[in-house]
Amino acid sequence: MNIITGNTYEEISIYAKNIIVENLRQHQSLLLCAATGGSPTRMYELLAEESVSQPDLFTQIRIIKLDEWGGVPMEYSGTCEHYLQQYVIKPFQIPDERYISFQSNPENPKQECERINNLLIKNGPIDICILGIGMNGHLALNEPDLFLNPHCHVASLSEETLQHPMLPEEDTKPGYGLTLGMADILQSKKIIILISGEKKRKITRLFLSRNITTALPASFLWLHPDVVCLVDKDAV
Ligand code: PGA
């Protein structure tokens, strides 16, 4: 794992943005797996600026949503869909045929996971996977547990995860999660994980201790040959 400590959130966001731009120059149709949440937001904003100054670079990029809150309407302001539309899909002008996305309120959540699984088999593997780390060490919505799931699945959400700042309204808490699995993530060619802020310090130190455990799903990233871990000073 290539661990890079930046002074600020801005610095690590610029670093991550530059890696993606460099890779896009080599491979314009790359499949980018997009996490949501506070960690990658600034990086997406910087990429959106690049898409204005270098629009040709973004005409083939493909996006897959990493995870989604389940049992809430797609339009709810806390969904990953809402976030990605705002920071990625609209600014990068991604048409439907270049976007793979879990529905947040499917009739049959298991079938929805199978649908995404099949699309990933057809369009994968992921070229670059953008990740954050949960306060409890989760990776996407792969929550700490005795066992982890390799592929897309319906996830039970922990109390800590339900406190995520994306979900401010008590009456619209999701009943479950929809997420890519550990193997889907670990089969990505390249992984970039962004970690920022003092509130992440405790879990970051555990993560960086290199002990691989299902109690801290992000620790499985130590098994991957090409992970860039961008962490700011407040988080270490
Ligand atoms: P954050 O979320 O980027 O908003 O901290 C990460 C996560 O909970 O997985």
Side-chain angles (χ1 to χ4, degrees), residues 35-41 66-67 69 131-141 161 164-166 194 196 199-200:
T36 58
S39 309
T41 304
L66 176 68
D67 54 7
W69 306 113
L131 298 171
I133 188 171
M135 293 290 288
N136 63 354
H138 72 205
L139 205 58
L141 289 172
T161 295
H164 194 283
M166 284 173 86
L194 291 136
S196 167
K199 69 173 186 181
K200 291 283 173 71

Side-chain angles (χ1 to χ4, degrees), residues 151-195:
H151 298 299
C152 295
H153 62 279
V154 178
S156 304
L157 301 175
S158 68
E159 273 311 308
E160 202 164 9
T161 295
L162 287 167
Q163 299 308 312
H164 194 283
M166 284 173 86
L167 306 167
E169 294 149 41
E170 269 313 313
D171 56 345
T172 41
K173 292 282 185 198
Y176 57 91
L178 301 139
T179 184
L180 298 196
M182 295 300 291
D184 301 325
I185 293 169
L186 291 169
Q187 283 160 15
S188 305
K189 291 186 191 157
K190 186 177 198 69
I191 294 175
I192 301 173
I193 180 164
L194 291 136
I195 312 178

